[in-house]
Amino acid sequence: MADSEALSSLAGDPMAVEALLQAVFGIVVDEAIQKGTSASEKVCEWKEPEELKQLLDLELRSQGESQEQILERCRAVIHYSVKTGHPRFFNQLFSGLDPHALAGRIITESLNTSQYTYEIAPVFVLMEEEVLRKLRALVGWSSGDGIFCPGGSISNMYAVNLARYQRYPDCKQRGLRTLPPLALFTSKECHYSIQKGAAFLGLGTDSVRVVKADERGRMVPEDLERQISMAEAEGAVPFLVSATCGTTVLGAFDPLEAIADVCQRHGLWLHVDAAWGGSVLLSQTHRHLLDGIQRADSVAWNPHKLLAAGLQCSALLLQDTSNLLKRCHGSQASYLFQQDKFYDVELDTGDKVVQCGRRVDCLKLWLMWKAQGSQGLERRIDQAFALARYLVEEMKKREGFELVMEPEFVNVCFWFVPPSLRGKQDSPDYHKRLSTVAPVLKERMVKEGSMMIGYQPHGTRGNFFRVVVANPALTRADIDFLLNELERLGQDL
Amino acid sequence: MADSEALSSLAGDPMAVEALLQAVFGIVVDEAIQKGTSASEKVCEWKEPEELKQLLDLELRSQGESQEQILERCRAVIHYSVKTGHPRFFNQLFSGLDPHALAGRIITESLNTSQYTYEIAPVFVLMEEEVLRKLRALVGWSSGDGIFCPGGSISNMYAVNLARYQRYPDCKQRGLRTLPPLALFTSKECHYSIQKGAAFLGLGTDSVRVVKADERGRMVPEDLERQISMAEAEGAVPFLVSATCGTTVLGAFDPLEAIADVCQRHGLWLHVDAAWGGSVLLSQTHRHLLDGIQRADSVAWNPHKLLAAGLQCSALLLQDTSNLLKRCHGSQASYLFQQDKFYDVELDTGDKVVQCGRRVDCLKLWLMWKAQGSQGLERRIDQAFALARYLVEEMKKREGFELVMEPEFVNVCFWFVPPSLRGKQDSPDYHKRLSTVAPVLKERMVKEGSMMIGYQPHGTRGNFFRVVVANPALTRADIDFLLNELERLGQDL
């Protein structure tokens, strides 16, 4: 009978399972962890898509493959992947490889459970509660609620959905059609997820009123007042302001106290998108950047970014103590959230979310925090600020680097001005030509695999680089390398 | 200077990092993989929440801990967690521990990248495309689109959002207020995410019209017709039908051909929520259950369920070739999706989703598929059906097991009738007393750690057990154990 014995892929042989996993783990340690974080190795192994498809042999066939082939595939996948833990990966708002967080992620994967009930996730229900409590305490709240979401975009959506539900509880059942037009406010520097969320939630992108930002990328509270008045004059009902702590490109922090004053005056929900900047709350030296955050109604904070907890680790924190999350999102599915369980069913947190199955995202952060302590994490933040400052000061000593502005965070935005353009600031096509430099250098660094830095146009500014100083393993030598490498790559331009 | 040397938690010492990870991996292999899948070990180690909090010492403190303490914590986390890969875990629509999928998950975690651009996820952009192509081919489509989502609930939401956008592209910008009231249709047996999604998307739960199901849990197409007429008569605009392949409790498959006929007649988007049942498409023997699925506009399919790929692995598949996903969800963020890149920016798939950072969910499925081949996966599905059938036949041989119905899938729903209730079917409080049995047995099995089976009330039926036969490592001996154990646990009732 086909069903008389176990059909696990390794024929139920625990020794074979262990041998496979030991072999894979050996490859992971050698290729992803050792080489993947070594400055003497490439940060990426660029291949054109068509060539890479051939190299990977992606097709899924009828017949399975031998263990030897599988291990070869594991090596190839790692080899051709970008090493985001590498000290020359400056490309994204996450970087670095924390070994304790990785340990937590491996345990999470081996346990493979869902965060919805105490029944099947007892450790993680309690752990999530404790981690959220700790994050809330750093915001300045002694009580409240919260949940881990699959990324900051969805955390931001949750905040918008909660704010509209709090004001119009009927909308859960009756939808938006019966409501007046709603208006939410955020600065032009906000993350694009606010627009995406407004569309997804049925509000439409028109409901997002864009508030001016100053030259450093911070929301202008006076313009927020003006936008609120304008929206009201047009018959819309303002209900939420989304302020940003750590904007994506410039790393700006909106002035929360002034914005909170406006929200208080108008009775608006204050959401703070601190996906990027939230981790600064751990630093006694720098947390003043978020002064006023304790006045928020909700905060989105992604420890997978500056704390390097690993994708994804994104918390939505709430000041609410009225069970708003569950009231807004709950649907009391009787097959999962039975009320006649033998334990306190308040521990079944799954009905707080719009997902059903939900990954465990707390362990990686908890284990790293246990290993580092808040002090260790604080040093990490302070070091990132110090290294960003070092980068800025070194740039000033060199020809060919033009800062977009003095950074207040760890995003360092600048143009590399190649030799042929130096001293030509007054020529009419200077900015146009300067804007073509970053894409060329990006192509060169990626094809050599020496480094990765993001670039973008921004408002009226042409393409400039944004170095993100986030990897906790960075040293001054890596920063020196970055500057030297840009000069080397751009010397003929 | 604090920033003169690397501040990784293990002081930038690659040997120490490797030693930590090796030690953690050893614990994972021993505790989670070997003991966690061994029938001679407990499936769970029940503790009351307050006691568990003490045992775990969850508090996050200023000072970090020693490596020895951290390893002890890793052991405790695993020890007190539920072993979802255990052969006596029948509790959820996922179970089992596939070693190749786990290998893929460990590699994914070690690479820690986001799926949004070819730039930072070259391997995974191409791999996701290939895996989605393969899944679409099994649905019966030679072209189309798709994306991995954080769970089936969000896949279902995507389908609803795409359907309304296709009909009213203006709603992305202008929202729902300018639209007529919309109506979507699904059976009363559908997953609760349809209701949650309607609320979240701003449609409101009232927009969900509940279609009757027959006694086996399958949508009644004639009632769908009736509901559509009623909605139209009330002034609503029908736009989508969500059919289910593999309902959560009963495991029913809606009659897709008949439903597709209705959709065709009325010009409605047909979404198929095959989160649970989609994997049956791999079986030549059983795929007839999904006949007609090729007529759908969208399909949600979670390989983390019956294929044991690991949470989360949830694909939304589309027949669309007009770039609907990107048009509906895109916002062209210039810092991420620069158009002047040196490669084909069509490979930057991140703008297809409402998330920004998105986990890599394709590798675990791809690697398992490479190892097993489609044939190996097919055998797995066929074995699950065969063992579910074995369970049913064995139940019929024993006193004390009353089937809710003959299953057509691998959900086996039944009452355990304890000795004191046998032969008392005609007594007036029989059903009420029978309904109290499952919660008592559940408490006993969990506290002993011998087994986990879910139960629920359902419609007018009192609590009954739902055994999910999904773990690929199951044997007939495990099924025999299940029956014996229920008899043992319930002998005094």
Side-chain angles (χ1 to χ4, degrees), chain A residues 198-303:
Chain A
F200 197 66
L201 295 168
L203 294 162
T205 54
D206 279 352
S207 68
V208 181
R209 307 292 176 122
V210 178
V211 180
K212 282 183 189 157
D214 66 18
E215 76 289 348
R216 301 185 51 79
R218 297 173 299 205
M219 187 190 286
V220 178
E222 297 73 23
D223 193 57
L224 172 60
E225 275 284 9
R226 198 156 44 235
Q227 293 292 337
I228 292 170
S229 301
M230 280 170 60
E232 284 172 339
E234 292 168 19
V237 176
F239 74 109
L240 173 138
V241 175
S242 180
T244 312
C245 286
T247 60
T248 309
V249 176
L250 302 176
F253 287 75
D254 285 345
L256 298 182
E257 291 285 11
I259 293 168
D261 288 343
V262 176
C263 289
Q264 199 171 329
R265 217 151 37 231
H266 295 272
L268 307 184
W269 181 289
L270 174 55
H271 174 62
V272 176
D273 176 358
W276 174 221
S279 300
V280 176
L281 288 168
L282 280 151
S283 164
Q284 293 307 313
T285 311
H286 299 287
R287 61 168 289 143
H288 65 86
L289 289 167
L290 298 99
D291 277 354
I293 194 168
Q294 75 285 355
R295 297 174 66 187
D297 295 285
S298 56
V299 171
W301 175 356
N302 289 7

Side-chain angles (χ1 to χ4, degrees), chain A residues 9 119 338 372 442 455, chain B residues 9 119 338 372 442 455:
Chain A
S9 59
E119 186 174 317
Q338 303 94 323
Q372 296 268 303
K442 178 66 176 264
Y455 73 85
Chain B
S9 59
E119 187 174 315
Q338 304 94 324
Q372 295 268 303
K442 178 66 175 262
Y455 73 86

Side-chain angles (χ1 to χ4, degrees), chain A residues 458-488:
Chain A
H458 185 259
T460 57
R461 296 170 177 122
N463 285 316
F464 56 83
F465 282 116
R466 178 198 64 175
V467 166
V468 180
V469 181
N471 186 337
L474 284 182
T475 67
R476 288 187 171 192
D478 298 307
I479 302 294
D480 293 338
F481 174 87
L482 183 161
L483 295 165
N484 294 337
E485 181 67 2
L486 281 172
E487 288 177 345
R488 186 184 73 81

Side-chain angles (χ1 to χ4, degrees), chain B residues 39-78:
Chain B
S40 59
E41 301 281 337
K42 289 185 181 182
V43 62
C44 61
E45 182 71 48
W46 172 261
K47 296 290 171 192
E48 295 294 336
E50 284 310 315
E51 186 186 356
L52 185 54
K53 275 185 201 173
Q54 299 306 316
L55 287 165
L56 293 169
D57 178 25
L58 290 166
E59 191 186 344
L60 297 168
R61 304 191 179 85
S62 289
Q63 295 290 331
E65 297 188 344
S66 70
Q67 179 150 331
E68 197 179 337
Q69 283 173 299
I70 291 297
L71 295 179
E72 204 38 64
R73 296 198 177 284
C74 293
R75 268 187 215 97
V77 164
I78 299 174

Side-chain angles (χ1 to χ4, degrees), chain B residues 385-437:
Chain B
F385 273 89
L387 279 173
R389 177 48 45 192
Y390 175 76
L391 172 59
V392 168
E393 297 307 324
E394 290 301 302
M395 277 184 184
K396 291 178 184 171
K397 295 177 189 165
R398 301 187 187 218
E399 267 196 308
F401 291 91
E402 190 183 332
L403 280 167
V404 172
M405 64 184 57
E406 284 285 334
E408 61 178 346
F409 194 22
V410 297
N411 310 34
V412 180
C413 296
F414 64 93
W415 288 276
F416 176 74
V417 185
S420 69
L421 282 176
R422 292 179 195 162
K424 306 262 172 67
Q425 285 85 336
D426 297 331
S427 78
D429 61 350
Y430 175 79
H431 291 288
K432 195 176 151 204
R433 286 170 64 196
L434 187 59
S435 189
T436 64
V437 172

Side-chain angles (χ1 to χ4, degrees), chain A residues 379 382-383 386-387 474 476, chain B residues 1-7:
Chain A
R379 278 197 300 274
D382 289 344
Q383 175 182 267
L387 279 173
L474 284 182
R476 288 187 171 192
Chain B
M1 290 295 294
D3 51 336
S4 62
E5 60 180 53
L7 242 184

